[in-house]
Amino acid sequence: MKFNKNIKTWLLVCLLAGFVMACSSETRHSANRDVEEFSAWVDENSTRAETATEEEWNEMEAEYNRRATEIEKRSADWDDQTKAEWEKVQTQWQETVGRSETRFRASEVEPEFDTERGDTIQ
């Protein structure tokens, strides 16, 4: 009888450990998948940012910030590869921000040119 109780206790411990490991693995996989999907979003929108209007750019930045904040909440579940991917994504986006801001500043500085008169408009 005591032997049966010990086996049942041992099986219960093993079963619970299996559930915990399965949940942890699924959580980690889900967090990794989120970073991969976000990386694809950044790739797509980095290209799109090169021709976006300022309004479109502001929407992209807001979306980036929203998604990045949401994903970072799960950073404790990331493996080393996902952490490296996250750093790469952030660097890529910061480069995109720099190019976009430079493009918008340049368009504000450039004077308009009147083709009929052949000079700049004041």
Side-chain angles (χ1 to χ4, degrees):
M1 186 72 162
K2 196 172 190 176
F3 181 71
N4 260 350
K5 186 176 180 183
N6 286 339
I7 287 179
K8 287 179 184 178
T9 302
W10 178 249
L11 286 174
L12 181 61
V13 168
C14 288
L15 187 61
L16 287 174
F19 282 136
V20 168
M21 288 175 32
C23 290
S24 177
S25 176
E26 177 57 33
T27 300
R28 179 165 286 128
H29 181 67
S30 176
N32 294 350
R33 187 176 53 244
D34 289 345
V35 172
E36 289 172 6
E37 289 172 1
F38 187 60
S39 178
W41 183 90
V42 168
D43 286 342
E44 177 184 325
N45 284 283
S46 290
T47 303
R48 188 173 150 233
E50 294 175 13
T51 58
T53 65
E54 196 162 358
E55 182 180 335
E56 291 170 328
W57 170 248
N58 291 337
E59 290 173 7
M60 278 187 258
E61 268 195 311
E63 180 69 8
Y64 172 88
N65 291 331
R66 183 191 67 75
R67 292 177 78 161
T69 300
E70 195 65 33
I71 291 172
E72 282 182 321
K73 289 178 184 177
R74 299 179 64 190
S75 64
D77 298 328
W78 295 349
D79 58 18
D80 291 339
Q81 181 180 355
T82 302
K83 290 176 185 175
E85 178 71 18
W86 181 249
E87 292 296 322
K88 182 180 145 198
V89 167
Q90 287 184 309
T91 300
Q92 180 181 358
W93 188 254
Q94 289 309 311
E95 291 170 356
T96 301
V97 168
R99 286 191 308 272
S100 295
E101 288 178 354
T102 300
R103 183 171 62 91
F104 290 127
R105 277 195 309 267
S107 68
E108 290 174 358
V109 173
E110 290 180 10
E112 292 184 44
F113 190 77
D114 185 344
T115 55
E116 290 181 21
R117 291 185 5 198
D119 63 356
T120 59
I121 300 173
Q122 300 292 331

